[in-house]
Amino acid sequence: MSKAQETKTRIIEQAATLFNQQGYAGTSVSDLMRATGLQKGGIYNHFVSKDELALEAFDFAVNCVQQKFMGALRGKRQAGDRLLAILSVYENILDNPPIEGGCPILNTAVESDDFHPALRARSQLAMDAWRDLIRRIVDKGIKRGEFHSKVDADTVATILIATIEGSVMLSKLYGDVSHMERGLKHLKLYIQSL
């Protein structure tokens, strides 16, 4: 990797944390300069705009989360075990997050809803990928007879994601992991009922 590419990668990694913690609108170029140790020109030598950097930083943050999922899913063959593996990623998410600041999809979706169409579109793509992963697992479980034939994969994806994201938000808001623990406990029972 060239020195220029190393610098660009470092900027993306540091910007991802800043944007995820402070939001796109809440992160100034001065904040980016402080975090990276670069001047404005040093940052914009690698990115056309703050928007371009935000999109690449978001992609990096989502990739960090996806890597956690892939690691948890490795070696799991049964559909129920695969869904439980997804939940396991969130068991210590507050103490050991893939990226500081919470779920980058949730944070970006909420912040970009009205003012940043490109980030909103990118967060929808990331959410689509997560929903598709869960739906594929459930559909395969139905085909193999591991889940009831009347289980709706899209409903399962909605319930899992909404409960996980709501639990993350409540735990972060109150600084209390019991919200995450309750959400995961409920989802484990829900998965067993499928």
Side-chain angles (χ1 to χ4, degrees):
M1 185 183 299
S2 71
K3 182 150 174 69
Q5 187 57 47
E6 285 178 18
T7 300
K8 182 175 182 175
T9 300
R10 184 172 53 86
I11 294 168
I12 291 169
E13 291 172 1
Q14 291 167 331
T17 299
L18 276 177
F19 288 137
N20 203 45
Q21 290 177 318
Q22 298 176 193
Y24 173 81
T27 301
S28 67
V29 174
S30 296
D31 293 330
L32 293 167
M33 289 166 51
R34 263 191 303 284
T36 62
L38 297 171
Q39 295 299 311
K40 187 176 181 179
I43 294 170
Y44 288 119
N45 184 41
H46 298 279
F47 303 95
V48 173
S49 64
K50 182 180 168 188
D51 286 346
E52 180 186 16
L53 173 56
L55 292 171
E56 290 198 40
F58 175 76
D59 290 344
F60 171 81
V62 168
N63 186 56
C64 290
V65 175
Q66 289 171 339
Q67 293 304 313
K68 288 271 193 179
F69 284 154
M70 294 305 109
L73 290 170
R74 196 169 295 118
K76 307 288 189 290
R77 298 290 172 239
Q78 300 293 317
D81 292 341
R82 290 178 66 77
L83 293 179
L84 292 173
I86 290 172
L87 298 185
S88 75
V89 170
Y90 293 90
E91 288 177 346
N92 66 349
I93 197 83
L94 299 178
D95 296 328
N96 186 23
I99 186 156
E100 292 295 325
C103 177
I105 301 171
L106 173 66
N107 292 345
T108 303
V110 170
E111 183 186 22
S112 67
D113 186 38
D114 295 324
F115 86 95
H116 202 297
L119 270 175
R120 182 171 193 239
R122 198 65 64 95
S123 62
Q124 283 178 332
L125 287 174
M127 184 59 73
D128 288 345
W130 192 11
R131 293 176 64 222
D132 288 344
L133 171 66
I134 294 170
R135 285 193 300 247
R136 284 193 315 271
I137 291 169
V138 172
D139 284 338
K140 191 175 275 188
I142 293 168
K143 286 178 187 166
R144 291 179 174 172
E146 298 170 38
F147 295 144
H148 300 289
S149 61
K150 294 187 180 186
V151 169
D152 179 67
D154 200 44
T155 299
V156 174
T158 297
I159 290 171
L160 261 62
I161 293 170
T163 304
I164 288 168
E165 293 291 19
S167 298
V168 168
M169 184 274 298
L170 287 168
S171 291
K172 286 191 62 57
L173 179 64
Y174 291 106
D176 182 354
V177 297
S178 68
H179 300 287
M180 191 79 244
E181 291 166 353
R182 289 178 196 137
L184 292 176
K185 181 178 178 182
H186 172 75
L187 289 176
K188 288 173 185 177
L189 294 172
Y190 173 69
I191 290 168
Q192 290 174 1
S193 76
L194 299 175

